[in-house]
PDB file of all heavy atoms in Angstrom:
ATOM      1  N   SER A  10     -10.439 -77.258 -50.583  1.00 86.00           N
ATOM      2  CA  SER A  10      -9.372 -77.306 -49.648  1.00 86.00           C
ATOM      3  C   SER A  10      -8.103 -77.817 -50.261  1.00 86.00           C
ATOM      4  O   SER A  10      -6.990 -77.241 -50.029  1.00 86.00           O
ATOM      5  CB  SER A  10      -9.709 -78.316 -48.503  1.00 86.00           C
ATOM      6  OG  SER A  10     -10.868 -77.964 -47.708  1.00 86.00           O
ATOM      7  N   ARG A  12      -7.379 -77.510 -53.557  1.00 88.00           N
ATOM      8  CA  ARG A  12      -6.964 -76.511 -54.497  1.00 88.00           C
ATOM      9  C   ARG A  12      -6.177 -75.336 -53.866  1.00 88.00           C
ATOM     10  O   ARG A  12      -5.145 -74.935 -54.201  1.00 88.00           O
ATOM     11  CB  ARG A  12      -8.092 -75.886 -55.192  1.00 88.00           C
ATOM     12  CG  ARG A  12      -8.493 -76.769 -56.319  1.00 88.00           C
ATOM     13  CD  ARG A  12      -9.607 -76.184 -57.213  1.00 88.00           C
ATOM     14  NE  ARG A  12      -9.202 -75.013 -57.973  1.00 88.00           N
ATOM     15  CZ  ARG A  12      -9.972 -74.171 -58.536  1.00 88.00           C
ATOM     16  NH1 ARG A  12     -11.230 -74.368 -58.518  1.00 88.00           N
ATOM     17  NH2 ARG A  12      -9.327 -73.084 -59.200  1.00 88.00           N
ATOM     18  N   THR A  45      17.772 -72.662 -44.752  1.00 90.00           N
ATOM     19  CA  THR A  45      18.084 -72.018 -46.011  1.00 90.00           C
ATOM     20  C   THR A  45      19.183 -72.991 -46.675  1.00 90.00           C
ATOM     21  O   THR A  45      19.940 -73.577 -45.953  1.00 90.00           O
ATOM     22  CB  THR A  45      18.599 -70.671 -46.038  1.00 90.00           C
ATOM     23  OG1 THR A  45      19.834 -70.528 -45.365  1.00 90.00           O
ATOM     24  CG2 THR A  45      17.557 -69.659 -45.414  1.00 90.00           C
ATOM     25  N   ASP A  50      21.251 -69.032 -57.647  1.00 84.00           N
ATOM     26  CA  ASP A  50      20.632 -67.800 -57.678  1.00 84.00           C
ATOM     27  C   ASP A  50      20.229 -67.135 -56.428  1.00 84.00           C
ATOM     28  O   ASP A  50      19.370 -66.456 -56.193  1.00 84.00           O
ATOM     29  CB  ASP A  50      19.314 -67.915 -58.678  1.00 84.00           C
ATOM     30  CG  ASP A  50      18.313 -69.000 -58.186  1.00 84.00           C
ATOM     31  OD1 ASP A  50      18.715 -69.778 -57.267  1.00 84.00           O
ATOM     32  OD2 ASP A  50      17.189 -68.891 -58.607  1.00 84.00           O
ATOM     33  N   ASN A  57      10.254 -77.597 -42.682  1.00 85.00           N
ATOM     34  CA  ASN A  57      10.749 -78.911 -42.166  1.00 85.00           C
ATOM     35  C   ASN A  57      10.545 -80.170 -43.026  1.00 85.00           C
ATOM     36  O   ASN A  57      11.092 -81.116 -42.793  1.00 85.00           O
ATOM     37  CB  ASN A  57      10.138 -79.206 -40.761  1.00 85.00           C
ATOM     38  CG  ASN A  57       8.708 -79.480 -40.821  1.00 85.00           C
ATOM     39  OD1 ASN A  57       7.875 -78.951 -41.648  1.00 85.00           O
ATOM     40  ND2 ASN A  57       8.307 -80.402 -39.939  1.00 85.00           N
ATOM     41  N   VAL A  65      15.520 -66.027 -52.046  1.00 93.00           N
ATOM     42  CA  VAL A  65      15.927 -64.728 -51.610  1.00 93.00           C
ATOM     43  C   VAL A  65      17.419 -64.576 -51.908  1.00 93.00           C
ATOM     44  O   VAL A  65      18.159 -65.513 -52.152  1.00 93.00           O
ATOM     45  CB  VAL A  65      15.746 -64.467 -50.026  1.00 93.00           C
ATOM     46  CG1 VAL A  65      14.257 -64.485 -49.779  1.00 93.00           C
ATOM     47  CG2 VAL A  65      16.459 -65.531 -49.277  1.00 93.00           C
ATOM     48  N   GLN A  90      19.984 -85.017 -48.165  1.00 88.00           N
ATOM     49  CA  GLN A  90      20.764 -84.201 -47.102  1.00 88.00           C
ATOM     50  C   GLN A  90      19.804 -83.139 -46.706  1.00 88.00           C
ATOM     51  O   GLN A  90      19.672 -82.783 -45.562  1.00 88.00           O
ATOM     52  CB  GLN A  90      22.111 -83.726 -47.722  1.00 88.00           C
ATOM     53  CG  GLN A  90      23.103 -84.847 -47.930  1.00 88.00           C
ATOM     54  CD  GLN A  90      24.308 -84.393 -48.674  1.00 88.00           C
ATOM     55  OE1 GLN A  90      24.230 -83.929 -49.789  1.00 88.00           O
ATOM     56  NE2 GLN A  90      25.537 -84.482 -48.030  1.00 88.00           N
ATOM     57  N   THR A 102      12.952 -77.063 -30.556  1.00 92.00           N
ATOM     58  CA  THR A 102      12.063 -76.048 -29.973  1.00 92.00           C
ATOM     59  C   THR A 102      12.609 -74.665 -30.436  1.00 92.00           C
ATOM     60  O   THR A 102      13.656 -74.555 -30.900  1.00 92.00           O
ATOM     61  CB  THR A 102      12.286 -75.948 -28.372  1.00 92.00           C
ATOM     62  OG1 THR A 102      13.605 -75.588 -28.097  1.00 92.00           O
ATOM     63  CG2 THR A 102      11.961 -77.304 -27.798  1.00 92.00           C
ATOM     64  N   GLU A 139      11.888 -85.984 -32.021  1.00 96.00           N
ATOM     65  CA  GLU A 139      11.360 -85.212 -30.880  1.00 96.00           C
ATOM     66  C   GLU A 139      12.078 -85.613 -29.632  1.00 96.00           C
ATOM     67  O   GLU A 139      12.349 -84.731 -28.830  1.00 96.00           O
ATOM     68  CB  GLU A 139       9.896 -85.614 -30.855  1.00 96.00           C
ATOM     69  CG  GLU A 139       9.022 -85.045 -31.815  1.00 96.00           C
ATOM     70  CD  GLU A 139       9.165 -85.725 -33.275  1.00 96.00           C
ATOM     71  OE1 GLU A 139       9.522 -86.973 -33.261  1.00 96.00           O
ATOM     72  OE2 GLU A 139       8.890 -85.088 -34.331  1.00 96.00           O
ATOM     73  N   SER A 154      31.414 -78.365 -25.629  1.00 95.00           N
ATOM     74  CA  SER A 154      31.807 -78.006 -27.046  1.00 95.00           C
ATOM     75  C   SER A 154      31.189 -78.976 -28.093  1.00 95.00           C
ATOM     76  O   SER A 154      31.007 -78.750 -29.205  1.00 95.00           O
ATOM     77  CB  SER A 154      33.348 -77.946 -27.298  1.00 95.00           C
ATOM     78  OG  SER A 154      33.898 -79.220 -27.009  1.00 95.00           O
ATOM     79  N   ARG A 163      21.411 -92.373 -24.217  1.00 94.00           N
ATOM     80  CA  ARG A 163      22.665 -92.326 -23.595  1.00 94.00           C
ATOM     81  C   ARG A 163      23.397 -91.034 -24.225  1.00 94.00           C
ATOM     82  O   ARG A 163      24.496 -91.195 -24.814  1.00 94.00           O
ATOM     83  CB  ARG A 163      23.452 -93.575 -23.922  1.00 94.00           C
ATOM     84  CG  ARG A 163      22.942 -94.804 -23.329  1.00 94.00           C
ATOM     85  CD  ARG A 163      23.819 -95.852 -23.454  1.00 94.00           C
ATOM     86  NE  ARG A 163      23.194 -97.260 -22.974  1.00 94.00           N
ATOM     87  CZ  ARG A 163      23.259 -97.610 -21.750  1.00 94.00           C
ATOM     88  NH1 ARG A 163      23.640 -96.830 -20.784  1.00 94.00           N
ATOM     89  NH2 ARG A 163      22.668 -98.756 -21.374  1.00 94.00           N
ATOM     90  N   THR A 173      34.438 -86.121 -21.021  1.00 66.00           N
ATOM     91  CA  THR A 173      33.159 -86.608 -21.534  1.00 66.00           C
ATOM     92  C   THR A 173      32.333 -86.707 -20.285  1.00 66.00           C
ATOM     93  O   THR A 173      32.666 -87.111 -19.195  1.00 66.00           O
ATOM     94  CB  THR A 173      33.299 -87.947 -22.128  1.00 66.00           C
ATOM     95  OG1 THR A 173      34.110 -87.797 -23.278  1.00 66.00           O
ATOM     96  CG2 THR A 173      31.970 -88.466 -22.627  1.00 66.00           C
ATOM     97  N   GLN A 181      14.983 -87.148 -17.733  1.00 50.00           N
ATOM     98  CA  GLN A 181      15.107 -85.873 -17.357  1.00 50.00           C
ATOM     99  C   GLN A 181      14.684 -84.881 -18.403  1.00 50.00           C
ATOM    100  O   GLN A 181      14.222 -83.726 -18.236  1.00 50.00           O
ATOM    101  CB  GLN A 181      16.583 -85.486 -17.036  1.00 50.00           C
ATOM    102  CG  GLN A 181      17.065 -86.110 -15.726  1.00 50.00           C
ATOM    103  CD  GLN A 181      18.423 -85.850 -15.431  1.00 50.00           C
ATOM    104  OE1 GLN A 181      19.283 -85.984 -16.444  1.00 50.00           O
ATOM    105  NE2 GLN A 181      18.825 -85.692 -14.218  1.00 50.00           N
TER     106      GLN A 181
END
Side-chain angles (χ1 to χ4, degrees):
S10 297
R12 282 185 66 191
T45 64
D50 57 345
N57 68 326
V65 294
Q90 289 170 301
T102 65
E139 288 75 23
S154 59
R163 297 189 187 275
T173 301
Q181 291 171 320

